[in-house]
Amino acid sequence: MEPKELSEQLKKPTGKNGLEVARALNESNQGLYDLAFKLLELKPNQNILEIGFGNGKHFAQYIQKEPELTLTGVDYSADMCEEAKARNTTLIDEGKLAIQCAETSALPFSNDEFDVIIAHNVIYFLNPPEPHLQEIKRVLKPGGLFLIGYRPRHSIEHLEFTRHHFVLYEADELVELMKTNGFMIADQHSNSYQKSAVDGTSFQVTDACLLVKKKTPSSTTDKGV
């Protein structure tokens, strides 16, 4: 796959190639999910939203961590929504998971609906980010948490496909973006390791998660890092 097409498929997986990219992302993104579950203390009866869930393979992990969660997934790829529904029929039938196909800039949810919102490798494609972040903040409960999983610019800018459609961030830039859009910084962690590319060469990649909190009416100062 040419770099530009790969970038387009990473942004919005579609068709046969989109399914192949989504399957590859299941393994590639596992480190981000592992890091996120360490940062998040999932609790019974929480209402969780994942934005940009790919083919939906990871939904089962949430329930393994906390069986009494209510999960919702939203993605703007109709093909990924259908694939996720097919993969998670049991969770959907049990009322533990709902799938919605929608744009992040126009989320089909009520104000203050979710306790936690998670988006892995999505932030690069929210351009300009402000309309998307304001929608995320709108549907997040006061004091609710938004976890952004991403690869810092220095970790992936050498990959040719990131030159198309991607807006890359370093940690300090992402922190500033979140503060500017009305979030408080709660925590952040990263993990660097060696990874093999498709051509067999080895390079270092960094998984990073930034955890931010929606301000409550009584919030006056930023907390954490």
Side-chain angles (χ1 to χ4, degrees):
M1 199 179 303
E2 292 296 319
K4 185 176 181 181
E5 182 185 356
L6 177 56
S7 177
E8 290 169 352
Q9 291 290 359
L10 289 168
K11 181 180 180 181
K12 187 178 184 180
T14 305
K16 182 179 178 181
N17 285 344
L19 291 173
E20 292 177 0
V21 166
R23 282 193 289 269
L25 286 174
N26 288 337
E27 180 180 354
S28 177
N29 287 346
Q30 187 60 56
L32 288 171
Y33 281 93
D34 292 340
L35 196 56
F37 287 132
K38 288 181 181 179
L39 280 173
L40 292 169
E41 296 182 5
L42 299 177
K43 300 178 179 65
N45 302 314
Q46 281 186 322
N47 199 3
I48 309 292
L49 172 65
E50 181 171 3
I51 295 170
F53 48 73
N55 62 17
K57 180 184 178 182
H58 295 283
F59 283 128
Q61 287 187 264
Y62 290 92
I63 301 301
Q64 290 169 2
K65 296 290 182 182
E66 176 46 67
E68 300 304 317
L69 293 176
T70 298
L71 285 169
T72 301
V74 65
D75 200 293
Y76 82 138
S77 168
D79 289 350
M80 290 300 100
C81 290
E82 291 306 310
E83 180 71 6
K85 289 176 182 178
R87 280 178 170 267
N88 295 279
T89 54
T90 299
L91 290 179
I92 293 171
D93 290 345
E94 291 175 348
K96 292 185 175 182
L97 172 65
I99 301 292
Q100 295 265 18
C101 194
E103 296 271 356
T104 318
S105 58
L107 293 170
F109 309 115
S110 303
N111 295 348
D112 306 334
E113 188 165 340
F114 296 99
D115 298 287
V116 179
I117 299 177
I118 297 165
H120 289 309
N121 283 332
V122 170
I123 190 66
Y124 329 113
F125 307 119
L126 307 184
N127 185 34
E130 288 77 14
H132 303 272
L133 294 177
Q134 291 305 310
E135 269 293 271
I136 289 168
K137 188 171 67 172
R138 179 184 67 78
V139 304
L140 192 61
K141 294 179 181 179
L145 297 171
F146 174 34
L147 186 139
I148 307 106
Y150 70 106
R151 273 44 184 274
R153 181 190 297 113
H154 70 269
S155 177
I156 59 172
E157 64 182 347
H158 63 285
L159 301 173
E160 190 172 348
F161 64 81
T162 65
R163 299 169 190 171
H164 309 276
H165 301 297
F166 280 67
V167 177
L168 302 176
Y169 298 89
E170 293 295 357
D172 59 338
E173 296 168 335
L174 195 54
V175 164
E176 188 59 33
L177 178 66
M178 293 301 122
K179 288 182 177 179
T180 301
N181 281 275
F183 293 95
M184 299 189 302
I185 309 306
D187 205 352
Q188 61 179 324
H189 283 288
S190 63
N191 179 42
S192 297
Y193 53 94
Q194 292 296 119
K195 184 179 178 66
S196 294
V198 292
D199 61 2
T201 58
S202 181
F203 65 98
Q204 188 176 67
V205 67
T206 299
D207 292 330
C209 285
L210 175 63
L211 187 63
V212 300
K213 182 181 292 188
K214 179 177 176 177
K215 292 181 180 179
T216 61
S218 59
S219 298
T220 55
T221 60
D222 286 348
K223 298 178 182 179
V225 290

